[in-house]
Amino acid sequence: MLHSRWFKTAGAAAALTLATATAAYATPAPAPAPDHTAAAVTLRYDDSRAAGWEAAIAAGVANWNASVSNVRLVEATPGTRAEIQIIATSGWPQATLGPVRPGGTARVELGSQAVAQGHDKTRIAAHELGHSLGLPDTKPGPCSQLMSGSTGGTTCKNATPNATERTRVQSLYAGGFTFLVPADGRVLVDAP
């Protein structure tokens, strides 16, 4: 009886010692993987001063929203702040180079001079929004590149970003707005 109690006590002590020693030398559990499925960054736009461009803006916004998932463009409700101000002008289209952050400011000017020369309104709107999302011009370039702008020619109607342009915007807005680099504030004029 005495031996069996001694074996039970010794066995329990050995198990406890083994468990403690194992815990002391065990490797820590790996850290959880970062969440790359963060919610899309929402950017609001105000086109209340872009009379005559409403359909082109809506189509350009729809093209971007269908092409990328890390950022969403939504029309600002009247009286609320918008990160992207869109206005109609008589000059050449131009825009602030982003990427614009939530709470930031970017300006898009949709110039009628380009339309008068035969350029497509929807392509112009989508192109200028691309600047706000952080894409520079790729001039000269083919019609298949949205950011080639006017160098795509007056017959070019492509208003959809290509794979490279989509990937770049996805990268700029990956992980939510906390990882965005600040916009540099340059204004890109899209005259030929």
Side-chain angles (χ1 to χ4, degrees), residues 55-82:
I57 294 166
V61 164
N63 287 350
W64 275 110
N65 285 343
S67 298
V68 295
S69 61
N70 287 346
V71 63
R72 284 274 157 268
L73 299 172
V74 297
E75 188 171 5
T77 55
T80 62
R81 187 182 188 296

Side-chain angles (χ1 to χ4, degrees), residues 87-140:
I87 63 170
T89 69
S90 59
W92 271 93
Q94 58 185 339
T96 308
L97 180 61
V100 66
R101 294 174 184 243
T105 303
R107 181 178 170 105
V108 168
E109 296 183 13
L110 301 175
S112 62
Q113 190 173 354
V115 177
Q117 291 192 12
H119 293 280
D120 182 70
K121 281 179 127 177
T122 301
R123 179 173 168 83
I124 293 168
H127 174 90
E128 299 307 325
L129 287 168
H131 287 319
S132 295
L133 296 175
L135 298 178
D137 287 315
T138 55
K139 293 180 178 182

Side-chain angles (χ1 to χ4, degrees), residues 7 10 13 18 31 37 40 59 62 65-66 78-79 96 106 158-159 183 185-186:
F7 281 119
L18 183 58
T37 60
N65 285 343
T96 308
N158 174 37
R186 285 185 296 156

